[in-house]
Amino acid sequence: MPVTADTPALHRSVRGARGLHLSRAGVSLVLDLTMGRMPAVAYWGRALGTLTTAEVDLLCEAAVVAPNQNALDVPPRLGLLPQSADGWLGEPGIVGARTGGAGFAPRLGLTRADLTTDTEDAASGGPADHLALHLEDPDLRLGALLELDLLETGLVRLQGSLTNLAGAPFHLRSFTLALPVPAEAAEILDFAGRWTREREPQRLPVAVGQHLRENRRGRTGADSAYLMHVGTPGFTWDEGQVWALHTAFSGGHRHAVERTSAGETILAGGEGLWPGEVTLDEGETYSSPALYAAYGDGLDAIAERFHRHLRARPHHPSTRRPVTLNVWEAVYFDHDLDGLKDLADRAAALGVERYVLDDGWFGDRRDDYAGLGDWVVSEAAWPNGLGPLIEHVRGLGMEFGLWFEPEMVNEDSDVARAHPEWIAGPSPDRLPRESRHQQVLNLAIEEAYAHVRDQMVAVLEAHPIDYIKWDCNRDFIESGIRATGAPTVREQSLAAYRLADELRARFPGLEIEACASGGARVDLGVLERADRVWVSDCIDPHERQVMNRWTNQLIPLELMGSHVASGASHTTGRLHSLGYRAATALFGHLGIEWDLREATPGELEELAGWVALYKQVRELLFTGTRVRVSLGDPSLWGHGVVAADGSEALYSLTAMERSGAAQTGRMRFPGLLPEARYRLDIVNPGADPFGLVPSPVMAAARGEIAPTPANARERAAHGAAVSTGEESSPVLTGRAWELAGFTTPILSPDTSVLFHFTRVTGD
Ligand code: DGJ
C-alpha cells in the first residue's frame, strides 16, 4: 500500500516506505523518503490522482536526473535541504562550518519519518498532513529536523531546524530549503519597490544561475521579493502553471530561483543571516522561519490558496472590519485637542467606527527629530493627557487606536540619553547613520525590551485602547550589540515578535496594524500577530491600484489598510475625483486619511455614501473569492470578488489611462455561477463615473445594491433604501456575463465603475 493522506490512520511511521504521495486541494506532492538519504520532492504540481506504491516509487525514480558522462558516478539528488554531498552544485541548503572549516559539507540522511494527519491544523484550522523528517550526519555530528505540511488549501508549509551534536561550535551562515520545479517553469515574477511604490512586479526569464533576492534590511522591505513565482511563460491571472514561495519572516530573508547546468531548477527560501548571528554550541538548535509554497493554474489560484489559509486562522479578524479614520495626513505632528475632536465628530457623522491617533502624542515628539522611544504622553502637547480625546471618541461610538514605533529611538530622547548602549550599532564608539533621524533600539537587550514593554503597557492600561498601529520606519543597518559588535538583526526581529505576542496576550482583543514606512512589513510572520498591514504611505489611487493588486497576491482584502485621502495626493501631488479615490479604497479594509475640515458638504455627502456602500459589501469582500480579469485592452483593469455561494459579486472596472485608438472597452465577469441568472447594478455613489456617454447596458444598470442575506444586517442597521427589485436592471446568465460581457464607453482615465451582481435565479 502506498502511504497517502487518505489512509485513515492518524499517526504512523513511514520507516521503510520509499515513496510518499500526499494530495490535497488539487495539488500532489510525491516525496522520496529513502532512509539514509536527504528527502527529496520527486513531484510537486497538479494533483496526480490515486497512485499505487509501485507507481509512487516509479515517480521517485523518474525524478532522478540521469548522470552525465564525466560526472558524479551516482545520479545527483536534489533534496529539500540541497547538499553538495549529493551532487547538488547550486547553493547548498546549509552554509556553515566549525572554526577552521570542518563540517562544511554535511551529508545528512533520513533516520526516521513520521506522518500525522490532523483533522484540525493548529495554525490554519483545517485538516493537514504533517511529515516530520529526522536527519543525521553521524560523522560530522549534525542533526536536522524538516517538517513539511500539506495544508487543506493545497499550500505546502516547510520549516527546518539544525542541531549541533558535537562539542565544537558550528557557525551557520544560511539555511535554505528548496523545492524543485519543472523545466517548463521558465519565467519568474517577483517584486521590486521602494517607499511609496511597494511591491512593484518584475518579470524575467529563468536562466542557468541563481536569481537571488536577499533582503538585508532587517524588516520585510518595500522591495521584498515577498512572493517568488516561477511559471510557464506568459502566465496570467487565470492561465499557466505557477509555483510560488513565500518566506514568512519580517527580518532578513531570501528567495531564489536557481537553475543548474544539469537542468535542475529550484525555488528556495529562508532567513537571511549575518556572519556570527547563529553559532550553535553542543546541543543547540537553529530553527528556520516557515516557508509557504503554492502551486496553481494562474496567479489567482495562488492568491486564493493564501487567502483561504489566512482566513482559516483562529485569530483571523471578523468580517466587520471597522471603517477607520487615521489622522496622520490631516494633522501630522500638529496635535490640538479641539481640532482632533472636531475630526472625530465629522468622522462619526460619516459612519466611521475606529479613530486612530498617529505619531506625535508622546515625549518631545513635535517633529521627527526627537522623542522617539519615550512612550509617555507629552505634557506639552496633551496637558490633560489623552483621556479627553479618548472619552470623546468613544462617546461618539468609535473605537480608539494609537500609534507606536517600539523598535526605534531618536538620539534626542530621554531613553537614548539614559541608555546609549541600547541603541543598536556596530561598536561602542560608532553608531549607524541615521535614517529618518532615528536609530534602532536594541530590543534583544532584555532591559531595553522590558523598558519599552512597560511603557507601552502603562499607556494601554491607563486607557481603553482597542488598536495599535505598530510602525517601523528605518532599515536595520549595522544593527549590532554595541558592547560586543555582534549582529543583532535576527534577535531583534524575534524580540519584536515576542513583544507583540506579549501585548496581545496581556490585552485580549487588542488589534495590531503592521506598518513600516508604509508597506515595508507585509509577510505571514508578522500576520501571526497583526490584524492588518498598511499597504503604502502613497494613497494616490492610481498608484494604489497597482500596489493593492499585488499586495492582494499574498493577503486577502480585509488585511490591507486602504484609505480615502484628500483630493491632492500628499505623496504624488496628483488630483483625483472622490469617486476614484473611494472606489479604489473600497477593495480593502476601508479608512479615511483626509482633513475632513477641508471637505465640502457635497464631498462629505458622497463620502458617507461610500462608507455605507462599504458596510453593505464588506461581508462579501472579506469572505468571497478574488478574481482579476484579463481584458483585451491593457489600459482597463478589471477585478472583483464573488461570494463563496455565488449569490452575489462586486467587480471594478478601472481605466488606468485612456484606451488606445484601436481599443474598445469591454468588461467580462468571470467567477459567477454559469447557469444562474444575475441582475447587474452599477453602484458607485455620487456622480456617474462613466465618462461621456454610458453604453446602453450600463445606462440600464444604474441602480443600487440589491438586498442579499450578506448585506441585510447592514442595510437594516443603516436604514439603506430597499431596492424595489423592479426589473429594469439587466439580467443574464453567469456564463454570458463572463464570456460575452458588454462594451463600456471609453472611460476617462482614473475612473472606476463598480458592478454589483445579485443572483436572481438558479445555481
Ligand atoms: C510612517 C507611516 O507609514 C505613516 O502612516 C505614519 O504613521 C508615519 N510613519 C508616522 O511617523
Side-chain angles (χ1 to χ4, degrees):
M1 275 285 289
V3 184
T4 72
D6 304 330
T7 313
L10 282 189
H11 181 99
R12 70 201 143 234
S13 165
V14 290
R15 180 188 286 275
R18 178 190 173 165
L20 175 68
H21 177 208
L22 300 173
S23 189
R24 285 188 183 277
V27 174
S28 273
L29 257 186
V30 175
L31 289 126
D32 179 344
L33 300 180
T34 305
M35 287 294 148
R37 307 214 49 158
M38 172 60 67
V41 171
Y43 174 87
W44 169 40
R46 195 174 293 158
L48 294 170
T50 306
L51 298 169
T52 65
T53 304
E55 288 165 343
V56 172
D57 287 350
L58 184 66
L59 283 173
C60 292
E61 293 297 342
V64 175
V65 176
N68 205 346
Q69 286 171 313
N70 202 2
L72 209 63
D73 291 343
V74 291
R77 307 280 286 223
L78 169 58
L80 280 169
L81 202 49
Q83 11 188 47
S84 62
D86 294 329
W88 167 252
L89 294 175
E91 188 189 1
I94 295 173
V95 178
R98 303 184 193 283
T99 308
F104 73 100
R107 190 188 290 186
L108 290 159
L110 187 64
T111 57
R112 182 180 153 174
D114 293 322
L115 178 67
T116 310
T117 300
D118 269 358
T119 46
E120 203 170 302
D121 173 55
S124 59
D129 307 304
H130 300 290
L131 194 55
L133 303 169
H134 301 262
L135 307 158
E136 194 173 337
D137 182 335
D139 187 25
L140 301 184
R141 308 289 296 130
L142 291 170
L145 174 64
L146 302 182
E147 295 189 72
L148 182 151
D149 307 324
L150 181 57
L151 305 176
E152 185 195 14
T153 53
L155 283 181
V156 181
R157 183 174 53 206
L158 281 169
Q159 198 266 328
S161 57
L162 179 71
T163 302
N164 180 15
L165 303 174
F170 188 86
H171 311 286
L172 184 66
R173 274 296 278 120
S174 69
F175 185 93
T176 309
L177 293 160
L179 288 166
V181 292
E184 311 84 279
E187 183 172 303
I188 295 168
L189 165 67
D190 72 348
F191 299 88
R194 57 173 157 70
W195 180 70
T196 65
R197 186 76 185 185
E198 287 86 342
R199 287 167 289 287
E200 182 173 292
Q202 57 177 11
R203 285 195 187 234
L204 60 154
V206 177
V208 169
Q210 193 182 33
H211 173 66
L212 172 65
R213 298 294 311 283
E214 277 200 292
N215 169 298
R216 299 188 187 86
R217 297 178 182 279
R219 56 179 184 162
T220 323
D223 60 346
S224 169
Y226 127 103
L227 193 52
M228 177 75 84
H229 305 84
V230 56
T232 47
F235 57 87
T236 63
W237 301 120
D238 55 352
E239 284 179 353
Q241 295 196 78
V242 187
W243 293 261
L245 191 73
H246 169 72
T247 301
F249 193 53
S250 312
H253 61 274
R254 57 210 320 265
H255 292 94
V257 174
E258 186 168 14
R259 179 166 285 179
T260 66
S261 313
E264 304 138 311
T265 309
I266 60 165
L267 197 48
E271 186 176 355
L273 298 171
W274 289 97
E277 272 202 305
V278 178
T279 293
L280 301 174
D281 288 326
E282 185 170 13
E284 286 186 340
T285 297
Y286 162 81
S287 289
S288 81
L291 305 181
Y292 287 85
Y295 164 80
D297 285 303
L299 289 162
D300 277 358
I302 299 285
E304 176 63 5
R305 293 196 195 283
F306 281 106
H307 297 176
R308 281 186 49 214
H309 170 72
L310 288 163
R311 284 177 173 171
R313 299 169 308 155
H315 58 91
H316 194 70
S318 105
T319 53
R320 304 198 80 196
R321 305 302 288 135
V323 182
T324 298
L325 179 91
N326 181 299
V327 302
W328 177 241
E329 286 203 355
V331 302
Y332 291 105
F333 290 104
D334 184 11
H335 284 202
D336 161 65
L337 179 60
D338 289 339
L340 288 164
K341 280 163 82 173
D342 186 359
L343 280 173
D345 294 338
R346 291 168 194 267
L350 290 174
V352 169
E353 299 160 310
R354 174 181 286 162
Y355 180 104
V356 180
L357 181 65
D358 211 278
D359 195 355
W361 57 268
F362 51 88
D364 286 335
R365 187 75 166 171
R366 302 292 75 77
D367 54 33
D368 52 12
Y369 286 83
L372 201 57
D374 296 333
W375 305 110
V376 178
V377 180
S378 160
E379 281 183 24
W382 294 88
N384 299 311
L386 293 177
L389 178 66
I390 297 180
E391 279 155 31
H392 188 77
V393 165
R394 293 181 72 89
L396 290 165
M398 294 185 285
E399 295 178 9
F400 185 80
L402 193 61
W403 184 94
F404 287 93
E405 195 175 2
E407 300 148 89
M408 296 291 161
V409 63
N410 282 125
E411 288 177 39
D412 184 0
S413 65
D414 291 343
V415 66
R417 277 183 286 273
H419 292 286
E421 76 282 8
W422 289 356
I423 301 177
S427 82
D429 307 319
R430 210 165 75 197
L431 283 177
R433 296 179 202 286
E434 286 189 330
S435 179
R436 206 196 183 202
H437 327 297
Q438 67 193 58
Q439 297 284 8
V440 172
L441 187 78
N442 191 349
L443 293 183
I445 297 175
E446 206 44 52
E447 296 77 12
Y449 175 96
H451 172 83
V452 173
R453 180 203 51 211
D454 293 348
Q455 285 198 332
M456 292 180 78
V457 165
V459 176
L460 295 172
E461 277 181 344
H463 302 288
I465 293 173
D466 308 279
Y467 180 84
I468 286 180
K469 180 175 174 184
W470 180 309
D471 211 337
C472 177
N473 282 302
R474 70 159 290 164
D475 290 332
F476 294 63
I477 307 296
E478 291 186 287
S479 271
I481 303 164
R482 290 184 74 194
T484 63
T488 190
V489 178
R490 168 178 164 75
E491 290 305 322
Q492 173 81 23
S493 307
L494 297 176
Y497 280 177
R498 183 156 55 96
L499 181 55
D501 292 342
E502 202 178 326
L503 292 174
R504 283 174 77 105
R506 194 153 178 164
F507 300 97
L510 178 75
E511 280 199 20
I512 296 181
E513 170 177 26
C515 171
S517 311
R521 203 173 249 174
V522 179
D523 62 79
L524 298 196
V526 81
L527 281 169
E528 281 174 29
R529 60 270 301 168
D531 303 283
R532 77 168 204 171
V533 301
W534 182 225
V535 173
S536 176
D537 276 349
C538 180
I539 320 179
D540 174 326
H542 182 88
E543 303 290 318
R544 273 301 190 100
Q545 285 283 341
V546 186
M547 291 185 277
N548 288 5
R549 159 182 278 208
W550 289 109
T551 304
N552 194 210
Q553 183 60 17
L554 182 72
I555 66 173
L557 296 175
E558 60 272 25
L559 299 180
M560 293 168 34
S562 185
H563 294 177
V564 180
S566 54
S569 165
H570 286 206
T571 51
T572 66
R574 278 202 202 106
L575 284 169
H576 284 114
S577 70
L578 175 54
Y580 184 48
R581 279 137 60 205
T584 302
L586 187 80
F587 287 83
H589 177 191
L590 185 74
I592 298 168
E593 191 161 340
W594 175 12
D595 189 347
L596 294 172
R597 296 167 297 191
E598 291 175 356
T600 65
E603 286 175 321
L604 290 174
E605 191 186 335
E606 184 180 340
L607 188 53
W610 284 100
V611 169
L613 176 65
Y614 167 78
K615 290 178 180 176
Q616 286 188 64
V617 297
R618 61 183 158 188
E619 177 107 14
L620 164 65
L621 293 176
F622 303 154
T623 57
T625 304
R626 197 74 171 114
V627 285
R628 287 159 295 186
V629 192
S630 304
L631 294 168
D633 179 347
S635 63
L636 293 179
W637 284 20
H639 63 85
V641 178
V642 183
D645 64 359
S647 59
E648 63 172 326
L650 183 72
Y651 295 85
S652 157
L653 174 66
T654 295
M656 294 296 285
E657 48 189 274
R658 273 174 69 76
S659 292
Q663 308 284 353
T664 53
R666 191 172 190 92
M667 180 62 174
R668 300 182 308 102
F669 304 92
L672 299 170
L673 299 175
E675 304 299 334
R677 290 198 144 68
Y678 289 89
R679 159 187 154 169
L680 166 65
D681 292 292
I682 290 173
V683 293
N684 295 60
D688 277 349
F690 305 148
L692 298 177
V693 189
S695 67
V697 174
M698 287 171 70
R702 191 73 173 104
E704 65 176 36
I705 192 162
T708 66
N711 68 39
R713 188 171 49 171
E714 293 291 356
R715 297 184 68 84
H718 299 282
V722 174
S723 160
T724 59
E726 282 167 21
E727 298 312 332
S728 58
S729 299
V731 173
L732 275 175
T733 61
R735 181 175 286 116
W737 286 126
E738 171 169 2
L739 298 180
F742 57 83
T743 53
T744 66
I746 302 295
L747 295 174
S748 302
D750 289 342
T751 46
S752 288
V753 189
L754 298 182
F755 302 98
H756 183 263
F757 288 87
T758 314
R759 186 175 61 195
V760 291
T761 63
D763 50 29

